[in-house]
Amino acid sequence: MNSPSPGGDDLTAIGTDPAAFERFYRRHVETIGRFVARRVDDPHTAADLTAEVFLAVIDSAAGYRPERGNERAWLFGVARNVIAAEHRRATRLLRASGRVAGRRLLDADDIARIEERIDAESLARRTYRALDGLPEHTRALLELVAVDGLSLTDAAGALGISPVAARVRVHRARRAVRLALATSESALV
C-alpha cells in the first residue's frame, strides 16, 4: 500500500473516496491555481485548466508511486501534462478554425480573482519568455525547480530523469536564462 500523504490520506484513495479528494483539493487548489496562472494569461482558460488538473488527479490517483516523488511533485507532473495537452489541443484547434470559441461563463468575481492572479504572475510570464530558447525537457525542469519550488530530486522524479542529469541541466539552463533576462532588461531601459 502507498504511504499516506502529508494530509494523512492514501493518495491512491482520492480517485474513489470523495472526502479524501476534497481534503487533497483544498490542500492544493491555490498552488495549482498559481501554477496554471503562470502558464496562461486568460482567466477562463486558467479556471478550466485548474479544474481539469483535479479531474486528471481523480483519474490517475491509483497510479501514484511515492518512490518516484512526493505528492506535490506528482501533482505538478499531472498539472504539466494537463497544460501541455491543452496547448496541443489549442494549437490543433487554432490551425483548424483559426480561433478557439465556446468559453464557459464566469461571474465578475471569478474574472476579477483570476485576473488578479494573472497580473500577479506577469513577471513569471516574462521569465517564461526568456525560457523559450531552452529545449523543452530542460525548460520543464527549470520551471519545476525555480518557479514552482520543487526540490531538484522531486523535479527529476516528476520528469522521470536522474537527479544528476537534473543538476547538470539546471546549471546550464540558469546560465542561459540569466543571459536572456539581462538582455531583455537592457532592451527595456
Side-chain angles (χ1 to χ4, degrees):
M1 175 165 228
N2 291 319
S3 60
S5 68
D9 294 317
D10 176 359
L11 287 185
T12 59
I14 64 177
T16 56
D17 178 358
F21 174 74
E22 181 179 358
R23 288 187 297 272
F24 180 86
Y25 176 84
R26 290 182 186 278
R27 260 193 325 271
H28 296 290
V29 68
E30 285 300 318
T31 300
I32 293 303
R34 288 189 304 271
F35 182 93
V36 171
R38 284 191 289 271
R39 289 157 175 83
V40 300
D41 58 5
D42 176 74
H44 295 280
T45 304
D48 289 346
L49 287 176
T50 299
E52 286 182 38
V53 167
F54 287 99
L55 290 173
V57 161
I58 291 170
D59 291 340
S60 62
Y64 170 70
R65 299 291 174 258
E67 65 274 5
R68 295 193 63 199
N70 65 31
E71 84 176 29
R72 189 166 175 248
W74 173 76
L75 180 58
F76 280 129
V78 170
R80 277 192 37 62
N81 290 339
V82 166
I83 292 168
E86 171 60 18
H87 286 302
R88 287 189 302 272
R89 185 201 65 76
T91 299
R92 282 191 309 272
L93 188 58
L94 286 172
R95 283 184 190 139
S97 68
R99 180 170 178 91
V100 176
R103 305 201 183 241
R104 75 176 178 86
L105 298 177
L106 298 173
D107 67 30
D109 290 339
D110 290 335
I111 296 289
R113 188 181 79 256
I114 295 169
E115 285 175 339
E116 286 174 13
R117 186 178 292 154
I118 288 169
D119 289 344
E121 301 298 342
S122 64
L123 178 59
R125 282 193 307 280
R126 191 170 135 249
T127 302
Y128 284 119
R129 284 191 293 276
L131 294 172
D132 281 342
L134 298 175
E136 174 56 29
H137 63 278
T138 302
R139 177 184 170 153
L141 176 65
L142 193 59
E143 288 174 4
L144 290 171
V145 173
V147 178
D148 298 311
L150 289 184
S151 71
L152 199 56
T153 302
D154 287 341
L159 296 174
I161 62 173
S162 75
V164 172
R167 274 192 292 282
V168 170
R169 287 182 190 174
V170 165
H171 173 73
R172 290 177 182 160
R174 283 183 172 157
R175 186 174 48 212
V177 168
R178 274 193 295 270
L179 178 64
L181 285 173
T183 301
S184 74
E185 284 281 327
S186 64
L188 291 176
V189 176

